[in-house]
Amino acid sequence: MNCPICKKNLVSQIHHAVDTDACSDGHGFWLDSNELDQLEDVVFSDDSLKGTVAFRSEASGRACPKCDAPLCRFQYRLYDLEVEMCSAGHVYWLDQGEEKRVLPPIVTGK
């Protein structure tokens, strides 16, 4: 598979203990639904707290690294964050740094 941004090969990479396919130039990560769920579990261990994943999708102009279908941009879980997903169901592309926004800071008590 190739990066939808630079077209270089995606390489297997462990990120926050999740096996991802990452751009070798650091443009982002390709995640299937199970991998996104594992990444979110770093913060939300109860799936009922996560809510609906996708709101308001539209074409992004990029292609799926797996099948070349158009990627659609959507608002992620009502956050101020747009993520892309494959229109054929091959799931999610996170640009570099967006994974930090999928993982809100863990708040600890005093």
Side-chain angles (χ1 to χ4, degrees):
M1 291 190 301
N2 296 324
C3 173
I5 298 171
C6 69
K7 308 302 182 214
K8 290 188 178 179
N9 284 335
L10 297 179
V11 295
S12 182
Q13 183 180 77
I14 303 296
H15 195 72
H16 290 288
V18 177
D19 187 18
T20 68
D21 294 303
C23 173
S24 57
D25 274 358
H27 289 114
F29 306 93
W30 184 249
L31 304 168
D32 65 26
S33 58
N34 184 49
E35 292 164 345
L36 180 61
D37 192 48
Q38 289 173 7
L39 186 61
E40 291 177 321
D41 281 346
V42 171
V43 176
F44 301 110
S45 59
D46 182 355
D47 284 345
S48 69
L49 297 175
K50 294 177 184 176
T52 301
V53 172
F55 293 89
R56 194 182 43 88
S57 72
E58 59 187 45
S60 75
R62 294 179 181 169
C64 172
K66 195 167 201 170
C67 71
D68 238 10
L71 290 178
C72 296
R73 182 176 37 242
F74 67 93
Q75 186 178 350
Y76 173 78
R77 294 198 191 277
L78 289 178
Y79 297 153
D80 183 24
L81 172 64
E82 287 188 336
V83 174
E84 291 166 287
M85 67 181 170
C86 173
S87 61
H90 292 118
V91 203
Y92 308 104
W93 174 260
L94 298 178
D95 286 334
Q96 183 65 32
E98 288 179 341
E99 82 284 357
K100 293 174 185 149
R101 297 193 57 204
V102 169
L103 300 171
I106 298 172
V107 179
T108 58
K110 291 184 179 185

